[in-house]
């Protein structure tokens, strides 16, 4: 992975599955060198068995070193960073995207999850 690749997921209110916009940013030299970051899968889960945090938001992507989530709903906005997790593996994804970036709860992550949950509750 290249150190100058960054992916920002912008999640618009209704569902995580419908990503309305995705922006990849990096250094000026990135624009002319090699393939760009690529989103493979977004994952939102609600687990009540206690094995994981109750709500979890993850992004699987290729050629990415940094991920940031942002969402807005009902005029409110929230954004937060994510951390790469080698402990979680999606065996259905081939290549270097099988380990996700997981939303960090501190520094805005709780707000991101709150807005997403609220959107699911209000819109189904």
């Amino acid at each position: 992975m290249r150190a100058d690749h960054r992916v920002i997921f912008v999640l618009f209110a209704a569902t995580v599955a419908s990503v309305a916009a995705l922006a990849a940013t990096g250094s000026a030299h990135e624009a002319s060198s090699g393939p760009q970051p690529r989103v493979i899968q977004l994952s939102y889960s609600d687990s009540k068995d206690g094995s994981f945090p109750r709500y979890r938001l993850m992004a699987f992507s290729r050629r990415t070193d940094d991920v940031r989530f942002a969402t807005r709903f009902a005029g409110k906005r929230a954004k937060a960073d994510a951390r790469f997790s080698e402990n979680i593996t999606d065996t259905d994804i081939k290549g270097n995207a099988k380990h996700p970036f997981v939303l960090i709860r501190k520094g805005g992550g709780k707000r991101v999850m709150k807005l997403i949950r609220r959107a699911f509750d209000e819109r189904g």
Side-chain angles (χ1 to χ4, degrees):
M1 288 191 287
R2 296 178 42 124
D4 59 354
H5 281 130
R6 179 180 174 118
V7 173
I8 301 171
F9 294 98
V10 181
L11 307 171
F12 290 94
T15 65
V16 175
S18 63
V19 178
L22 165 68
T25 62
S27 68
H29 128 81
E30 166 192 323
S32 63
S33 64
Q36 299 296 308
R38 182 172 165 218
V39 176
I40 305 301
Q41 173 181 320
L42 289 175
S43 174
Y44 171 83
S45 62
D46 178 355
S47 174
K48 296 176 185 173
D49 65 4
S51 59
F52 297 104
R54 171 82 193 266
Y55 302 102
R56 195 163 56 163
L57 182 61
M58 300 182 294
F60 296 83
S61 64
R62 289 196 177 120
R63 297 178 295 275
T64 307
D65 292 321
D66 188 25
V67 171
R68 184 169 180 84
F69 289 95
T71 189
R72 64 181 179 193
F73 181 72
K76 296 182 181 179
R77 297 174 184 246
K79 58 186 174 181
D81 292 323
R83 65 174 156 60
F84 184 73
S85 177
E86 291 184 12
N87 300 327
I88 302 170
T89 302
D90 188 330
T91 56
D92 293 337
I93 299 176
K94 294 180 172 77
N96 62 357
K98 60 184 166 186
H99 301 291
F101 286 86
V102 180
L103 176 75
I104 297 173
R105 298 283 176 151
K106 293 181 181 178
K110 279 182 154 180
R111 254 188 103 192
V112 169
M113 289 304 295
K114 183 178 179 180
L115 289 178
I116 290 171
R117 287 193 326 263
R118 188 172 156 210
F120 280 138
D121 288 344
E122 289 186 22
R123 295 185 176 181

